[in-house]
Amino acid sequence: MMSQMQHVWRAMLLWTLLFVEQGNTTENCTTRRCLANNLVNKKLITQPQRDNCSEYIFVPIIEYQTIKVDTKNLRLVCRLDAIIEWTDDDLYWDYSVYPYNEVILPVSKVWTPDIFVTNGISSTTHNSFRDLIVYSNGTLRHRVVIAAEVNCEFNLFNYPFAEDECPVVIQTWSTEGCGTTMEVGKLDVYDGSHGDWETLDAYLHSPSNEKYLISVILKIRQQNPFITLMLPSILIILADMVSFALPLNCGERNSFKVTLVLSFTMFLLILNDHLPGDSECSPVIKTHFCVCLVMLVVSMLVSMVLTRVAQDGGLIFCCFSRGAKAANKQEEADREVAGDISVIQIDNSEENQMYRKVIDFLNAIKAREVDSDRKQALADRLDKIFFWFYFIVGTAYFCAMITVMVKYDCNVNHLEFLD
């Protein structure tokens, strides 16, 4: 019995020593994982509360990238990759106990500051990684990605030679009371070519203490819009000018001009969805297309009128004009003369009358030919005058329009929303 009691006491002593040794081992754990677990167990998921009730946020670098420029709806889609640093004194540890300069913690276990785009129609912030770095002095370093869609009032007056800047304003959630203050170090721009637009540069400045403004300078690449928009209009007007080489008295010229008008109208309908949207400085290219359409229609109408001039010899015409009635009477008289000539009688008394009718018939044909030549000459003269007028005005217009597109400046207040 005594021996059994001794075994029981010995077992209890061994279990006690085991638990004490385990507790001492746990308390003396100085590994990096133990440090991370101790910091996580503090559950510091709220903003640090200092005496001045404000947290200082430092952004050493922001990497800017243009994703898309929506010319139709005047939108800029961009991506901001930012490194954020802040300090939480409660995450400080004794370097003599834990001899590590830094440790990795899950993002969801600590408080992280919010940065958003002020003038963004939509803005989403994502963590670049699930973890962040904590230093021994309580400083945290984190990386976030902000995807934003910004409403930009682009200056599209000079389209397709447009160049303008678009503001992207960033700030923290609050700068009043127990809020946060932010300071941004530098801005880097990379991968600036997207579609028809090219990001030339972006610079950073602060319009106020709580906001930072990224001014993105954008320029449209002229090659694609010029080939798809400007060049077809120039070529169609050129083809309309060359069509004056077709004879006026045939219907091919009028048919060709009608085809050009219909082709240009279909061209505008197809490109309607690709034309830039209206802004404070409306694109002058829309006015250009309207002027080109008017020029084509006027050229077509003038060609039709000159065709009638070559027929009647006057600018005033209608379905029952005097010229038409006189021509009908002359044709009837010619048919009567021709009928009389077809029946030739041998009677000498009527020989002189027959000769007179033959002479009158030939004179009438000659008079008609002379009158037709006079009308045709008048129409040709007016046609040449209109051609040179059309050529000079069209050439001067295209030179003036391209000069205006390239050199005219239309100013837009991009920072009106800040006021």
Side-chain angles (χ1 to χ4, degrees):
M1 185 67 180
M2 193 68 173
S3 176
Q4 291 179 353
M5 292 293 295
Q6 289 178 355
H7 286 298
V8 172
W9 282 105
R10 187 178 298 175
M12 293 177 62
L13 180 61
L14 290 175
W15 279 105
T16 303
L17 292 175
L18 181 62
F19 280 115
V20 171
E21 184 66 21
Q22 185 176 1
N24 292 335
T25 303
T26 304
E27 292 178 358
N28 296 329
C29 178
T30 58
T31 62
R32 198 185 296 267
R33 181 181 288 273
C34 291
L35 172 60
N37 291 332
N38 290 337
L39 296 178
V40 169
N41 292 332
K42 292 183 178 181
K43 299 180 179 180
L44 301 176
I45 59 175
T46 60
Q47 178 179 326
Q49 306 294 326
R50 305 181 185 277
D51 294 338
N52 60 358
C53 199
S54 179
E55 180 66 24
Y56 170 75
I57 308 298
F58 178 61
V59 183
I61 184 173
I62 296 179
E63 295 178 350
Y64 171 85
Q65 180 185 14
T66 299
I67 302 299
K68 177 184 177 183
V69 179
D70 189 350
T71 310
K72 184 68 175 180
N73 300 314
L74 305 179
R75 303 286 174 83
L76 170 67
V77 181
C78 60
R79 180 180 183 270
L80 302 174
D81 194 344
I83 297 176
I84 308 174
E85 294 181 356
W86 71 100
T87 302
D88 191 343
D89 295 334
D90 294 330
L91 292 176
Y92 166 84
W93 69 82
D94 189 356
Y95 187 80
S96 61
V97 178
Y98 297 99
Y100 310 108
N101 290 324
E102 58 188 38
V103 69
I104 299 175
L105 295 183
V107 175
S108 59
K109 301 300 182 180
V110 295
W111 175 84
T112 56
D114 293 327
I115 298 178
F116 63 94
V117 178
T118 306
N119 60 331
I121 298 176
S122 61
S123 177
T124 57
T125 303
H126 303 281
N127 299 317
S128 297
F129 308 100
R130 294 183 300 175
D131 301 316
L132 51 76
I133 299 177
V134 182
Y135 297 94
S136 59
N137 61 354
T139 300
L140 295 90
R141 186 180 180 91
H142 184 37
R143 196 180 189 103
V144 296
V145 176
I146 305 173
E149 183 178 356
V150 181
N151 184 19
C152 279
E153 192 73 12
F154 291 112
N155 176 13
L156 296 175
F157 181 86
N158 307 95
Y159 188 90
F161 305 98
E163 179 179 348
D164 202 7
E165 66 178 43
C166 179
V168 180
V169 183
I170 59 174
Q171 68 177 74
T172 55
W173 72 274
S174 176
T175 58
E176 299 178 356
C178 294
T180 56
T181 59
M182 182 179 63
E183 180 183 355
V184 180
K186 67 174 183 176
L187 176 70
D188 287 341
V189 183
Y190 64 98
D191 194 16
S193 299
H194 293 275
D196 293 337
W197 289 86
E198 179 182 4
T199 304
L200 299 180
D201 196 6
Y203 57 92
L204 180 71
H205 60 93
S206 177
S208 61
N209 294 329
E210 70 267 10
K211 297 178 181 179
Y212 278 85
L213 176 64
I214 301 175
S215 295
V216 184
I217 302 177
L218 300 168
K219 181 180 180 180
I220 194 168
R221 294 178 173 180
Q222 299 96 350
Q223 183 177 2
N224 187 36
F226 183 82
I227 292 176
T228 57
L229 297 178
M230 288 294 298
L231 187 59
S233 63
I234 296 175
L235 294 179
I236 289 177
I237 295 297
L238 180 62
D240 187 54
M241 292 180 179
V242 177
S243 67
F244 281 89
L246 294 174
L248 184 63
N249 55 359
C250 71
E252 295 181 359
R253 181 198 285 192
N254 295 336
S255 300
F256 182 73
K257 287 183 176 292
V258 171
T259 303
L260 288 180
V261 173
L262 295 178
S263 301
F264 192 76
T265 304
M266 292 299 299
F267 170 73
L268 294 183
L269 292 177
I270 294 173
L271 292 180
N272 184 47
D273 295 335
H274 300 280
L275 293 177
D278 290 328
S279 62
E280 187 174 340
C281 292
S282 182
V284 71
I285 194 171
K286 293 185 176 181
T287 305
H288 164 70
F289 285 145
C290 181
V291 173
C292 289
L293 183 59
V294 170
M295 292 171 64
L296 290 173
V297 172
V298 170
S299 175
M300 178 188 67
L301 295 178
V302 170
S303 180
M304 292 180 177
V305 170
L306 293 180
T307 302
R308 186 59 184 266
V309 170
Q311 182 69 25
D312 292 343
L315 295 177
I316 301 176
F317 53 89
C318 62
C319 296
F320 300 99
S321 61
R322 293 182 178 179
K325 293 181 179 179
N328 293 332
K329 291 181 179 180
Q330 185 65 34
E331 291 178 358
E332 292 178 358
D334 293 339
R335 285 196 295 270
E336 292 178 356
V337 173
D340 293 340
I341 293 176
S342 60
V343 181
I344 302 177
Q345 299 178 1
I346 309 299
D347 191 357
N348 292 331
S349 63
E350 297 180 355
E351 184 176 358
N352 293 333
Q353 184 179 0
M354 181 186 66
Y355 286 152
R356 283 196 300 272
K357 288 184 178 181
V358 171
I359 293 173
D360 292 340
F361 175 72
L362 296 177
N363 290 335
I365 294 177
K366 185 177 181 180
R368 288 173 56 190
E369 292 178 353
V370 171
D371 184 63
S372 178
D373 293 339
R374 180 185 61 80
K375 294 176 182 179
Q376 187 66 39
L378 175 62
D380 291 338
R381 191 180 306 111
L382 294 176
D383 189 49
K384 291 179 180 179
I385 293 174
F386 179 77
F387 166 74
W388 286 110
F389 174 78
Y390 187 29
F391 178 78
I392 295 173
V393 171
T395 304
Y397 165 74
F398 275 105
C399 294
M401 178 58 67
I402 293 177
T403 302
V404 169
M405 286 183 178
V406 173
K407 294 187 176 182
Y408 183 81
D409 292 331
C410 183
N411 298 321
V412 179
N413 184 12
H414 296 289
L415 303 180
E416 185 177 0
F417 65 96
L418 292 179
D419 300 334

